[in-house]
Amino acid sequence: MTGEDLAALGEFGLIERIRARLGEPSDGVLVGPGDDAAVLTPPSRGLVATTDMFVEGVHFDLELSPPLDVGFKSIAASCSDIAAMGGRPQYALLSLGATSSTPVETIDGLYKGIDEAQRELGVRLAGGDVVSSEKLVLSVTVLGEQAPGGSIRRAGAQPGDLACVTGELGAAAAGLALLRAVDDAAARDLLAKYPALAEAYRRGRARIREGQRAAEAGVGAMIDVSDGLAADLGHVCDESGVGIEVRAADIPLAPGVPEVASWVGEQAERWALGGGEDYELAIAVAPQRFDTVQKAVAPTRLTVIGTFLAGDKRAGIESSGWDHFRRGSA
Amino acid sequence: MTGEDLAALGEFGLIERIRARLGEPSDGVLVGPGDDAAVLTPPSRGLVATTDMFVEGVHFDLELSPPLDVGFKSIAASCSDIAAMGGRPQYALLSLGATSSTPVETIDGLYKGIDEAQRELGVRLAGGDVVSSEKLVLSVTVLGEQAPGGSIRRAGAQPGDLACVTGELGAAAAGLALLRAVDDAAARDLLAKYPALAEAYRRGRARIREGQRAAEAGVGAMIDVSDGLAADLGHVCDESGVGIEVRAADIPLAPGVPEVASWVGEQAERWALGGGEDYELAIAVAPQRFDTVQKAVAPTRLTVIGTFLAGDKRAGIESSGWDHFRRGSA
């Protein structure tokens, strides 16, 4: 198999290979890969649906992430969007663009990661498409079931709500900085000391349990931290028509982030606010519900980092997030 | 607006522009574009789901198709997959990859075509993603409701079933040949004489009504003709474990296809068998049900072009369809 590429395998050989790797459909998949469309048992409550595209050289770099992790992250990132609504991911569809010269080994790695993600996150890959494209492109759709009490929107933050965040931030940005500096012995030492940083960048995550528990406990608004905490809190303010004051010093940083930031000559808070891809949940919680929500998401940490305000003041979220098209976006 | 590009508009400016163009969510869309995920009223029967990726330079060429038609076709092609199961398309999700230098005019054209498609085909664009990529990439997911009697699979053809096809074939391939030869005055004359050929290539179609009616009338297997009639009938044989004999002379050709084929020096039957993208439905029908199915899909034509056989003989479908990765695929 070594050295074989997609030109040798062909489109339909590839589809067969994917079907064999992923096994027989199950868990609500009535018709799986290999027909014109998948047929799925619909959720009994609202159907939550999200789609994301991951482009080589933009969203991932095979020099920094093995195909296994790229595949895993593509599914996890979309599941994170479902989690941010309080929903439960059930099914995934994946379109893959690759060149004829893509090694079959790379494709096998991607689908191994996708398979790991579906087992770990409770989704089933139910269908997809394979096409030729110059760069590797993964386009993922995840479908799921909405929270029993209804979906949690970006638009539900009220003035006076606490701005909270699950887990810890900055890990993905710190991991990326170290992976880019891997020729340096000190970077390699830091990678060995904090392996969770590289893993955070490479694999992403989806706070599915936390999103469901928070939705049940009663929260006002929720969003996943994919563009960067500052930008994502800005989206909540935009949709809710509120302002915000964030205390940067209160943002929980992942272990190793301050040390790596100091080594790189960056401010750890800037990574936490602008780095993106931490896939934690930012949540607006009424003060009287905070204890309940905190207990609901435990043992994952829930930390208050600021307050939503009446009006349009935005303090502490000046750091800009990622914009795919702006010149000089960072 | 003339001359403005995505770098000037920015990712979030583009998202706002798309939301404004597409209007407020409706028709079962509980939460539309602008949140982490869409929330949709689930179908009461099985959920049919399909995803397709369209890459500039592979699936479309902006020299040959205006953005309006590229947008329309991206939705229509996925709806065609739902039609091939006998289902009813309801919702669409679209991820768009574009460069910073893509003119806003191009994006506006794409979304105008998408808007036309959603009105004409009865689907609602409920969400999506916009990312940067070197080539334009549209990744479309369409969700719908399965046929009342269950989905029609590729796997249901029986020996003795008639191989039938809706409408007429070869139009997309003939249209593409003419558009590629547009510098030639004779090609321009043929394009003016048969405008439906260029339209067939540029806009695609989805035989939604015919697929639903055929499913209700009772058919064995169904597939849409996207890879090419020969390849798609081959897929039905693969999945059903049957053979086939097709009479090429019986394949209905779209008006103008023989004349254009003769002008290009190509065989019209080769286009009908191998050209692909006609988005007609190929259907396996038990002989005693043929009249019923033919009446059900009328006024669209249903033509018998061959017979499914016991065993693995395949006659009359030697012309190969499109394979995205094979060297020399055509």
Side-chain angles (χ1 to χ4, degrees), chain A residues 157-298:
Chain A
Q158 301 285 336
D161 280 356
L162 302 174
C164 307
V165 69
T166 59
E168 291 138 349
L169 296 170
L176 176 57
L178 289 178
L179 289 167
R180 281 185 173 153
V182 76
D183 289 342
D184 188 295
R188 288 197 300 276
D189 288 347
L190 286 165
L191 280 168
K193 185 172 175 189
Y194 300 111
L197 298 180
E199 187 172 316
Y201 166 72
R202 284 173 165 162
R203 288 177 81 84
R205 74 157 83 244
R207 291 290 199 188
I208 297 167
R209 186 190 62 81
E210 292 80 357
Q212 290 179 306
R213 301 293 291 275
E216 279 167 37
V219 300
M222 198 149 60
I223 191 169
D224 76 324
V225 181
S226 52
D227 292 332
L229 179 63
D232 291 315
L233 287 172
H235 298 325
V236 171
C237 290
D238 289 343
E239 299 294 327
S240 299
V242 297
I244 195 168
E245 183 151 29
V246 169
R247 294 175 301 275
D250 290 350
I251 300 173
L253 300 173
V257 170
E259 187 175 344
V260 174
S262 153
W263 179 74
V264 173
E266 180 59 88
Q267 287 179 290
E269 289 73 20
R270 269 182 57 92
W271 277 348
L273 280 164
E277 299 216 318
D278 281 317
Y279 299 107
E280 294 293 350
L281 298 174
I283 312 179
V285 184
Q288 67 275 17
R289 302 203 69 78
F290 178 75
D291 286 350
T292 310
V293 177
Q294 192 177 43
K295 280 194 193 94
V297 305

Side-chain angles (χ1 to χ4, degrees), chain A residues 24-85:
Chain A
E24 285 304 303
S26 62
D27 299 332
V29 180
L30 306 172
V31 177
D35 218 306
D36 288 274
V39 185
L40 311 168
T41 305
S44 53
R45 293 188 292 269
L47 169 63
V48 189
T50 185
T51 190
D52 290 285
M53 193 184 279
F54 305 90
V55 182
E56 185 179 8
V58 177
H59 299 85
F60 64 89
D61 180 342
L62 290 176
E63 299 286 314
L64 304 181
S65 296
L68 179 81
D69 290 339
V70 172
F72 186 96
K73 188 175 180 177
S74 72
I75 301 293
S78 286
C79 286
S80 175
D81 282 324
I82 304 284
M85 310 295 283

Side-chain angles (χ1 to χ4, degrees), chain A residues 78-111:
Chain A
S78 286
C79 286
S80 175
D81 282 324
I82 304 284
M85 310 295 283
R88 181 173 68 89
Q90 295 177 286
Y91 310 113
L93 304 166
L94 175 87
S95 285
L96 173 72
T99 63
S100 318
S101 60
T102 302
V104 171
E105 224 175 352
T106 301
I107 305 295
D108 281 345
L110 289 172
Y111 280 89

Side-chain angles (χ1 to χ4, degrees), chain A residues 11 36 38 40 47 49 139 141 224, chain B residues 38 40 47 49 139 141 224 323-324:
Chain A
E11 178 178 351
D36 288 274
L40 311 168
L47 169 63
S139 183
T141 297
D224 76 324
Chain B
L40 311 167
L47 169 64
S139 183
T141 297
D224 76 325
D323 185 305
H324 268 286

